[in-house]
Amino acid sequence: MDSDETTEAVEAPFDPVLVADLLRQLDKTVRAHQLYPSHNVQYIKTVENLRTAFAAVWEETPGISLQVTDTEFSWCDVTVLSEPEKVSDSLPWTFFKDGVREITFTRGFEGEELDKLLNVIPLVRRAQDHEDDILTLLWEQEFVFMSYRFIDNVAGQGAPLDPSATPGRWPAQVSASDTKEAVADARRRRALAHGTARGSDEAGRLDRALA
């Protein structure tokens, strides 16, 4: 391949503004979740607006895949959410710091699974270093309408993104033939990397859960 050759841009199948509006509303709703109880009228209205934003996207497509960097979400090579500061309340950074590099939402996510994600994100933002990361919390929810691809941050540069990622399951490492063992191994190394007694307990708990 010629060194001057550039990758052809992906053409968005519909106006990226719809996806950008969705992610801005998601960010706004996560912040509202951290401020108000679930029965608060303001919070309920914010969630309704988010579901409306999802509905607008589903009128155009059955699903969207977002690429994740430390400061941005992009869709079809278009930046749809940018938060330059890598801080705990940045939505891209919340996912990126624990290894998530792609998120896919499909029609149906806007129901019960949306509420699950809204509960997970604040937990991650408040978590201490020895507590569960976002990959663990997402995996525990067993999502059907949301999937994600990730790298293993513990291994230094990390494993390649796994194209076989499926909803509700951790992608198997490229060299792993047993998905359950891949999950257990990744979490065991993540837990033990914290160097705490809880890390050992966490590794044992995962072994038992995945047996």
Side-chain angles (χ1 to χ4, degrees):
M1 179 180 296
D2 190 287
S3 59
D4 295 330
E5 185 177 344
T6 57
T7 302
E8 185 177 351
V10 178
E11 183 177 356
F14 57 90
D15 193 344
V17 169
L18 289 176
V19 180
D21 288 346
L22 166 61
L23 291 173
R24 281 194 295 268
Q25 187 61 40
L26 174 60
D27 186 46
K28 181 177 180 180
T29 306
V30 170
R31 295 173 189 270
H33 186 286
Q34 295 175 198
L35 292 174
Y36 305 112
S38 59
H39 60 271
N40 178 271
V41 174
Q42 181 62 43
Y43 175 69
I44 292 173
K45 179 62 176 177
T46 304
V47 175
E48 290 175 350
N49 291 340
L50 178 54
R51 290 195 164 104
T52 298
F54 269 107
V57 172
W58 300 152
E59 289 181 0
E60 303 291 338
T61 182
I64 54 173
S65 292
L66 306 170
Q67 279 62 56
V68 183
T69 71
D70 53 352
T71 59
E72 294 180 351
F73 286 146
S74 62
W75 174 73
C76 293
D77 294 332
V78 177
T79 298
V80 286
L81 182 68
S82 177
E83 297 188 3
E85 298 295 325
K86 291 182 282 188
V87 292
S88 62
D89 62 350
S90 162
L91 201 55
W93 179 246
T94 298
F95 287 90
F96 183 88
K97 68 182 179 64
D98 287 335
V100 177
R101 296 296 182 266
E102 183 179 276
I103 305 168
T104 298
F105 297 115
T106 56
R107 188 181 291 127
F109 173 79
E110 71 281 4
E112 179 183 350
E113 292 191 4
L114 174 58
D115 294 324
K116 291 181 178 181
L117 183 62
L118 292 173
N119 289 331
V120 162
I121 294 176
L123 290 176
V124 176
R125 290 179 171 177
R126 295 193 302 265
Q128 301 298 312
D129 288 343
H130 65 276
E131 295 181 310
D132 286 340
D133 58 18
I134 197 167
L135 288 174
T136 302
L137 295 173
L138 292 176
W139 170 65
E140 290 176 345
Q141 300 306 312
E142 297 188 344
F143 287 108
V144 173
F145 302 106
M146 173 183 172
S147 59
Y148 43 93
R149 297 166 67 193
F150 68 95
I151 62 171
D152 183 0
N153 283 339
V154 175
Q157 295 182 351
L161 285 175
D162 178 7
S164 67
T166 57
R169 297 291 182 270
W170 280 29
Q173 296 176 7
V174 173
S175 61
S177 59
D178 186 331
T179 301
K180 283 189 176 182
E181 181 58 32
V183 173
D185 181 63
R187 277 303 299 138
R188 188 184 302 110
R189 287 184 290 111
R190 285 174 184 272
L192 293 177
H194 295 307
T196 64
R198 186 185 183 280
S200 298
D201 293 341
E202 177 71 4
R205 180 179 68 82
L206 286 161
D207 286 341
R208 292 189 296 273
L210 294 167

